[in-house]
Amino acid sequence: GDLNILDMVGLINTVLKDEPNATVSASKTALANPDLKNLNSNGTYINEEVTGLVEFVSSSTSNVLLTEDQIGKNSVYSPISYYMALSAVTEFSNGNTKTELLNALHANDLEILRKNNTNIFKGSYIDNDREYCLFANSVWFNNTNGMVYNQETIDNLANYYYASSFAEDFSDEATGPKIASWITENTGGKIKDIEVKTTSDEVLRLVN
């Protein structure tokens, strides 16, 4: 009989290829990990507007792709990834920095950003035997000087932005490979053999 192409994809993904699934890292070293257990693995229809996103896509795309050093290049830009990363930074910013980030993201306050990011993630998340779509986010904090982090903020990153948080010594040569391993795991093995280096003067690293 006829073989449905979706059945073929499912067969390849679940039987013929021994590839890791695209699930958020459950590393025991994480300060917090997002909980995906209660999400709809077939995607969720979001009936609410993600306010300010269209405006952000319009303004940021021109700023990223139409700069002088990008003209004539075959560049690729993911405004959703940029939006989610900047939103996460806004969560632990303050003062003028927070105001500037909110303005750039076309959001009136932090509550709107939290709601928008939650809806984007839930509306896009698919993880079944035929297909998956996962925005894997992580924030890596430099704990070179033994910094202690606010657990409430760390939990907010996991709950609203579905981001895992890690505290690592950025002066340690082993930290870069840890980040690279996280990327490989969370892309289902599609991105591998990459070199990631960290330096002691970095404060944090965001990975989407």
Side-chain angles (χ1 to χ4, degrees):
D2 293 333
L3 179 63
N4 186 292
I5 188 63
L6 291 178
D7 293 333
M8 186 60 158
V9 171
L11 179 67
I12 291 173
N13 285 340
T14 59
V15 179
L16 300 181
K17 287 189 177 180
D18 185 21
E19 295 284 357
N21 219 4
T23 54
V24 170
S25 172
S27 170
K28 293 181 180 180
T29 63
L31 301 175
N33 275 314
D35 183 5
L36 306 182
K37 293 192 297 290
N38 295 323
L39 295 182
N40 184 351
S41 61
N42 296 312
T44 302
Y45 178 75
I46 302 299
N47 198 28
E48 303 172 12
E49 181 184 3
V50 180
T51 59
L53 180 60
V54 172
E55 292 82 359
F56 172 79
V57 171
S58 176
S59 60
S60 65
T61 300
S62 60
N63 284 326
V64 171
L65 295 181
L66 297 183
T67 57
E68 186 174 340
D69 62 333
Q70 291 296 319
I71 295 177
K73 293 184 179 180
N74 187 22
S75 302
V76 177
Y77 169 55
S78 171
I80 292 293
S81 293
Y82 199 20
Y83 181 89
M84 297 182 85
L86 289 178
S87 296
V89 174
T90 307
E91 183 70 38
F92 50 81
S93 65
N94 212 335
N96 291 335
T97 300
K98 184 174 184 177
T99 300
E100 290 177 355
L101 284 167
L102 287 171
N103 289 338
L105 293 163
H106 298 271
N108 291 331
D109 52 46
L110 201 57
E111 292 303 318
I112 290 178
L113 277 188
R114 290 175 175 178
K115 185 177 180 181
N116 283 352
N117 279 267
T118 298
N119 285 338
I120 290 171
F121 191 95
K122 285 184 176 180
S124 306
Y125 175 71
I126 301 175
D127 187 4
N128 54 47
D129 60 350
R130 294 185 175 183
E131 56 188 344
Y132 65 72
C133 177
L134 173 71
F135 287 116
N137 299 292
S138 63
V139 184
W140 300 75
F141 297 98
N142 185 358
N143 70 350
T144 302
N145 297 317
M147 293 183 182
V148 178
Y149 300 96
N150 185 315
Q151 190 61 44
E152 181 180 356
T153 301
I154 299 299
D155 291 338
N156 286 339
L157 291 173
N159 295 333
Y160 298 114
Y161 307 92
Y162 292 89
S164 298
S165 295
F166 301 87
E168 298 287 346
D169 183 351
F170 278 30
S171 63
D172 188 344
E173 292 183 356
T175 297
K178 287 181 182 179
I179 298 175
S181 177
W182 185 91
I183 294 171
T184 299
E185 177 184 353
N186 286 277
T187 57
K190 300 296 189 296
I191 299 178
K192 52 189 176 182
D193 300 326
I194 57 173
E195 184 178 20
V196 177
K197 292 183 178 181
T198 57
T199 59
S200 58
D201 58 348
E202 287 183 82
V203 176
L204 62 91
R205 178 80 65 94
L206 285 97
V207 183
N208 171 285

